[in-house]
DNA sequence: TACGATGGATAGGCATAGCCTATGGAGCTC
DNA sequence: GAGCTCCATAGGCTATGCCTATCCATCGTA
């Protein structure tokens, strides 16, 4: 049983004639006859009565007609569904983001994207980098926003922005008035850093390593705002990326002038995954803003 | 878009692998790959992500999967419907019958058939012969029960029974005690006959013609029972087939011994029409009883 | 790091199947 | 009965789906 046989069958049922059905189907009449006969053979029953002049559905043909039409209708629905979806900017986009970026970077971009493409629905997942990478592999998120670089050639990454790092100091700290400082200047300070697992902790520690500084960590937290409150209370100093600076806190922020004291935010997708137009639109939107 | 492509697609979606899907579908892996690619080309979109080791549905593939399954499900429903119906003694049988046969011949046969094949539904249409023939041509009835012979080689006829003709006489008629009579004996009698259009009128008149008798018709009706009541009342004589004899009436029935004074009941179907098993069962039942 | 195993893509050959034209035969019309 | 219509049959062609062999990338393992 093949689709063209069903089409021919419906055409004959509609036109009441093999010849007209053939014309209608853009095939020769013998070809159509042959396919109808083949269909009848396979079903083991006649679908049409050939009555000299005219052709008429048998009782069995009458019951088969709506079923054949149902098959073809489903087929067209399937095709239509695909061609409609593949070109529309719609559907679900699941984006993963690390906690040290999420609150600062995403909100404005999400709202502008949703305004632009109201058909697209976005879900955000906040996780640390290794979790995001695992979820990219499993395709439970479509794109991850995190700090570059990352390990693993199965991902395709695009840098979005590079930001400077700042020292967060208590208001009355001796270095608080400086325009910039070097990490070495913080040698004797107690440090407040993010908890292990957060990649920005590694970024900060790596920067200290390069400055041959081995910070004495007296407090750890999962979010910058906790660190900054403690810094404001005079407990010690911290290192934050530019986007984490809170104007209204009791801290002072001084640019760290060390070479490579930066953080690069980028996005990553699983290499080889095919993305919908909505996905591409979202990636383009991130690149542009 | 072809059915085997949809089957392959579903197989890959279910097994998560081209190779296993190919094995499962009893084709080689390259053949299956080729057909999937062809399907994707036609739809203009990827249905699977080939991620080195594993294969996974794209978002679009996920939406396409239930649609593809729906097509195949409809197809199997269509096939199942046909194979189920073609072999079962069920469905609607519409039988046409002439009025001078209907009440005498059909009832017992219909009940016995229905008892034998309760799945089959029978509708009876009572019409005069030319109407029945026209309805056979139009396939609004499946089989006709009528008096043979009929004109027209587009019908296939089968005789069922031949019955004798009887003269219906008033109880006190001078011929009423005879074992048999000849039509010529009725030369001077007033006749009561069926209305024009009823084929038995033609049968009776033809018999009279052969006996060189030109009956004076004083009453016409559409049914035998009316005629017989009038005969019982002494208005005249009539000719009836054996099956129309009413024991309880005030008539006497005397066998007409003329050559060819008979009526043959038979059935007719449209030549070339394909009949269901239910139809064949009904025809066989009529032949057998 | 190198190797074999696994899994999908590619290449090329083959056979089937669907299509074509030409023709036959039955039924209807004039 | 001649011509027309319409479906079936016959025979040849080509496309397409299938095959085997092979390639290439990835993954697990020594």
């Amino acid at each position: 049983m093949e689709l063209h046989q069903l089409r021919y069958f419906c055409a004959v049922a509609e036109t009441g004639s093999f010849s007209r059905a053939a014309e209608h189907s853009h095939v020769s009449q013998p070809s159509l006859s042959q396919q109808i006969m083949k269909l009848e053979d396979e079903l083991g029953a006649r679908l049409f009565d050939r009555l000299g002049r005219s052709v008429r559905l048998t009782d069995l043909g009458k019951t088969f007609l709506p079923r054949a039409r149902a098959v073809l209708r489903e087929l067209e629905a399937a095709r239509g569904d695909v061609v409609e979806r593949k070109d529309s900017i719609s559907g679900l986009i699941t984006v993963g983001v690390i906690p040290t970026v999420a609150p600062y970077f995403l909100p404005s971009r999400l709202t502008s994207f949703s305004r632009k493409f109201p058909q697209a629905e976005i879900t955000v997942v906040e996780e640390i980098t290794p979790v995001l990478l695992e979820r990219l592999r499993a395709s439970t998120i479509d794109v991850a926003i995190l700090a570059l670089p990352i390990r693993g050639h199965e991902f395709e990454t695009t840098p979005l922005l590079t930001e400077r790092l700042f020292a967060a100091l208590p208001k009355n700290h001796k270095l608080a008035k400086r325009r910039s400082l070097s990490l070495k200047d913080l040698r004797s300070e107690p440090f407040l850093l993010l908890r292990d697992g957060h990649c920005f902790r590694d970024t900060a520690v790596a920067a200290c390593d390069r400055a041959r500084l081995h910070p004495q960590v007296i407090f750890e937290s999962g979010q910058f705002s906790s660190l900054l409150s403690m810094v404001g209370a005079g407990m010690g100093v911290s290192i934050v990326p530019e986007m984490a600076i809170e104007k209204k806190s009791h801290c002072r922020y001084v640019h760290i002038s060390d070479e490579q004291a930066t953080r690069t935010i980028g996005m990553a997708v699983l290499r080889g995954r095919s993305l919908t137009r909505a996905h591409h639109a979202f990636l383009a939107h991130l690149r542009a803003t």
Side-chain angles (χ1 to χ4, degrees), chain A:
Chain A
M1 193 150 32
E2 293 300 326
L3 289 172
H4 61 266
Q5 295 171 343
L6 297 182
R7 286 196 199 93
Y8 296 168
F9 166 73
C10 291
V12 175
E14 279 154 23
T15 62
S17 145
F18 280 52
S19 307
R20 279 196 298 278
E23 203 176 339
H24 197 272
S25 306
H26 307 293
V27 291
S28 68
Q29 169 266 313
S31 301
L32 185 137
S33 284
Q34 196 181 24
Q35 291 306 307
I36 294 287
M37 284 188 281
K38 207 165 169 184
L39 179 61
E40 290 178 324
D41 281 354
E42 188 187 335
L43 293 175
R46 311 241 85 182
L47 293 169
F48 295 104
D49 284 325
R50 283 79 160 170
L51 304 164
R53 181 51 108 216
S54 68
V55 168
R56 202 179 303 137
L57 281 168
T58 60
D59 280 13
L60 214 127
K62 281 199 195 84
T63 75
F64 189 63
L65 179 58
R67 316 231 63 145
R69 282 185 173 140
V71 174
L72 298 174
R73 188 170 50 243
E74 285 294 343
L75 189 82
E76 288 318 306
R79 187 201 309 282
D81 202 0
V82 168
V83 300
E84 188 185 323
R85 279 169 190 265
K86 86 183 160 89
D87 290 331
S88 80
I89 310 275
S90 66
L92 181 63
I93 305 169
T94 306
V95 41
V97 60
I98 53 176
T100 56
V101 167
Y104 316 112
F105 179 85
L106 262 193
S108 63
R109 287 163 176 86
L110 287 187
T111 53
S112 57
F113 182 78
S114 289
R115 195 162 41 239
K116 210 160 154 192
F117 304 109
Q119 303 273 42
E121 194 181 334
I122 300 194
T123 303
V124 178
V125 167
E126 190 180 299
E127 295 284 3
I128 59 173
T129 301
V131 174
L132 292 184
L133 297 184
E134 189 43 52
R135 295 193 61 164
L136 275 181
R137 280 191 205 95
S139 287
T140 59
I141 61 176
D142 302 315
V143 54
I145 297 167
L146 31 64
L148 298 185
I150 54 173
R151 332 176 53 83
H153 51 290
E154 69 258 56
F155 305 111
E156 221 168 83
T157 60
T158 311
L160 293 173
L161 66 89
T162 297
E163 56 181 344
R164 298 180 294 174
L165 303 192
F166 282 75
L169 309 171
K171 230 176 193 169
N172 54 359
H173 193 278
K174 60 181 192 280
L175 297 171
K177 295 280 164 35
R178 297 266 294 270
R179 294 289 302 274
S180 72
L181 56 76
S182 161
L183 280 172
K184 278 179 292 194
D185 299 332
L186 300 174
R187 190 176 310 268
S188 55
E189 305 288 341
F191 265 76
L192 295 77
L193 285 184
L194 286 177
R195 231 196 298 283
D196 211 25
H198 289 271
C199 62
F200 187 74
R201 180 194 172 99
D202 304 332
T203 304
V205 168
C208 291
D209 278 352
R210 276 191 294 273
R212 309 199 184 284
L213 180 71
H214 300 289
Q216 177 208 356
V217 179
I218 62 159
F219 181 70
E220 295 184 337
S221 168
Q223 48 184 345
F224 286 124
S225 36
S226 301
L227 298 182
L228 296 180
S229 302
M230 305 299 258
V231 169
M235 283 195 60
V237 304
S238 186
I239 301 176
V240 296
E242 191 164 6
M243 60 171 63
I245 289 175
E246 292 178 8
K247 290 275 160 50
K248 54 190 182 301
S249 72
H250 293 280
C251 302
R252 286 289 175 275
Y253 300 92
V254 180
H255 172 224
I256 297 171
S257 56
D258 293 47
E259 196 73 21
Q260 293 180 46
T262 60
R263 171 170 87 155
T264 297
I265 305 297
M267 57 192 185
V269 296
L270 188 61
R271 195 182 297 281
R273 251 204 74 174
S274 106
L275 302 174
T276 66
R277 286 205 57 199
H279 291 145
H280 282 120
F282 184 69
L283 300 187
H285 188 259
L286 289 184
R287 273 193 296 270
T289 54

